[in-house]
Amino acid sequence: MKIIFLDIDGVLVVGDDPKCFSEMALINGEHLNHFHKSCVEALNHITDKTGAKLVISSVWRNSHEMDILKQHFKQEGITGEIIGKTPILREV
């Protein structure tokens, strides 16, 4: 199985897109930043061509439940399947 360990900030939410920060998606009462369209397209290309699954390694995994992340990714057009998130081993 191919797996992509995916960060979100700086990868799908990028600083040069004002839409990412000015308009936020609302998922089950949570406000989440929009993803940059070309970044979504690039990730979809990779997952569609390789069949890779997604594991969230972003700090978003700390503050958002898995179902919220999956809903947001679907709403933003991500086609890859999220199969998990990396554990939080300890606070530094």
Side-chain angles (χ1 to χ4, degrees), residues 56-65 69 85-91:
I56 305 301
S57 62
S58 169
V59 297
W60 284 39
R61 75 191 191 286
N62 302 341
S63 56
H64 305 296
E65 295 296 325
L69 291 172
K85 53 186 180 178
T86 56
I88 301 165
L89 300 178
R90 66 184 176 116
E91 295 290 324

Side-chain angles (χ1 to χ4, degrees), residues 18-33:
K19 177 182 177 248
C20 291
F21 300 101
S22 63
E23 301 173 21
M24 299 184 92
L26 183 64
I27 307 287
N28 289 349
E30 292 192 41
H31 291 280
L32 298 159
N33 292 48

Side-chain angles (χ1 to χ4, degrees), residues 20-52:
C20 291
F21 300 101
S22 63
E23 301 173 21
M24 299 184 92
L26 183 64
I27 307 287
N28 289 349
E30 292 192 41
H31 291 280
L32 298 159
N33 292 48
H34 284 290
F35 297 160
H36 193 282
K37 183 179 177 183
S38 65
C39 298
V40 169
E41 291 170 354
L43 179 60
N44 286 343
H45 177 77
I46 293 167
T47 57
D48 293 348
K49 294 290 183 188
T50 66

